[in-house]
Amino acid sequence: MDTSPIFNKISSEYDRFNHLFSMNIDKKWRKSCAKEAYTFAKQISDSGDIPLSDVKVLDLACGTADLSIMLAKKGLSVVGADISEGMLEVGRKKIDKLWQANLSKYPKPELIEADAELLPFSDSSMDTVTIGYGIRNFNNREQSLKEIMRVLKPGGVLLILEFGEPRNAFVRVFYKPYFKYLLPRMASVLTAGKDYGAYKYFIDSVEKFPKFEKFCKELALSGFCHPAYTNQTGGISVLYKAFKPIGK
């Protein structure tokens, strides 16, 4: 399924709904991913005696560039890629405004339209690949992971933010009705019904995505080593981490 029409349709409202429905906690989740990327980049910078701005990060499924901006503010060289031109346009406007205002001392992220299944980058050209809440939308996840493996440098890190579910049974009792029923209805009301289908797709895609140990196993089967995950807010969000083997 080509999801770009869905995200093109909701691109102008995407940020507002993300922050509203997560009660702004999504910003904290992305910051934790950016911090992990920075820590890894600092190791590369220190061991190779190179500036942080030479550490290259591909922010895949970058959407409206929230994570790309956080990564760039860490001093890293960032390319954001997405299949939705509507989302990229929102992201470019956001970046232009911020860099004109007060972020000019940081490397400015570049945003390009690209499909995760056929990335326009050379082999072993990226130190880090990040994906913020987008991998569940990939049409062919197996092929996309192969492409990510190809463009990562040996020893490079893959960091993926994705929705999980609360590990606490008591919290799940309240979370499930909110996530599955109330959230899409709120979206329908706030958009006068025009985007209900898009947010229904969002709920369905989260429910179908393999979570926790299951996704770590998928990463391992795709050739990544040391796959692990960290729960955020009790498992509502999950940060996955895996590496390209040194010898590949």
Side-chain angles (χ1 to χ4, degrees):
M1 176 184 177
D2 180 8
T3 57
S4 57
I6 292 175
F7 288 98
N8 285 336
K9 183 179 180 183
I10 64 173
S11 59
S12 63
E13 301 158 340
Y14 184 78
D15 286 345
R16 183 164 64 99
F17 285 122
N18 258 359
H19 304 326
L20 174 64
F21 294 146
S22 72
M23 293 174 285
N24 269 334
I25 302 175
D26 65 300
K27 295 178 182 178
K28 179 181 178 181
W29 297 335
R30 287 185 175 86
K31 284 180 180 178
S32 69
C33 181
K35 183 178 179 181
E36 281 282 346
Y38 171 78
T39 299
F40 184 74
K42 192 73 167 61
Q43 293 172 358
I44 294 173
S45 176
D46 291 345
S47 63
D49 194 25
I50 60 173
L52 279 171
S53 57
D54 284 350
V55 178
K56 299 191 180 302
V57 181
L58 169 60
D59 183 27
L60 197 52
C62 67
T64 59
D66 275 356
L67 183 55
S68 296
I69 291 166
M70 289 181 184
L71 292 162
K73 287 170 70 175
K74 297 288 186 182
L76 310 180
S77 175
V78 182
V79 176
D82 202 286
I83 62 169
S84 168
E85 184 56 40
M87 299 285 272
L88 290 169
E89 184 61 28
V90 173
R92 290 188 187 108
K93 289 178 180 177
K94 192 188 304 183
I95 288 169
D96 287 344
K97 183 177 180 179
L98 288 170
W99 261 255
Q100 288 171 7
N102 57 7
L103 296 183
S104 58
K105 65 179 180 180
Y106 300 108
K108 188 176 181 180
E110 176 189 3
L111 301 188
I112 65 168
E113 186 175 351
D115 191 327
E117 295 176 28
L118 189 63
L119 294 172
F121 305 106
S122 303
D123 295 357
S124 303
S125 56
M126 298 291 171
D127 295 290
T128 298
V129 174
T130 60
I131 308 173
Y133 306 105
I135 195 167
R136 71 182 186 279
N137 300 313
F138 290 178
N139 287 325
N140 188 333
R141 199 158 60 239
E142 181 180 0
Q143 174 59 28
S144 298
L145 288 172
K146 286 180 181 178
E147 274 291 272
I148 292 168
M149 179 74 77
R150 179 183 66 79
V151 302
L152 268 176
K153 295 178 182 179
V157 67
L158 170 62
L159 297 169
I160 299 173
L161 284 167
E162 196 47 82
F163 293 104
E165 63 181 16
R167 306 308 297 262
N168 182 285
F170 178 77
V171 176
R172 273 203 306 272
V173 170
F174 297 95
Y175 172 81
K176 285 276 190 179
Y178 168 76
F179 190 77
K180 190 168 183 177
Y181 302 110
L182 183 59
L183 192 153
R185 292 188 182 281
M186 288 170 61
S188 181
V189 170
L190 292 172
T191 63
K194 66 178 181 178
D195 290 336
Y196 179 82
Y199 287 97
K200 179 68 166 58
Y201 162 80
F202 168 81
I203 302 303
D204 292 343
S205 66
V206 170
E207 290 192 324
K208 292 175 182 176
F209 186 79
K211 298 171 180 62
F212 309 116
E213 292 84 0
K214 286 184 178 180
F215 186 57
C216 283
K217 184 177 180 180
E218 185 174 310
L219 290 171
L221 289 172
S222 295
F224 291 91
C225 61
H226 310 301
Y229 68 88
T230 302
N231 286 328
Q232 300 175 312
T233 317
I236 294 175
S237 174
V238 187
L239 176 59
Y240 297 94
K241 182 178 182 180
F243 296 87
K244 177 174 178 175
I246 295 290
K248 291 194 73 171

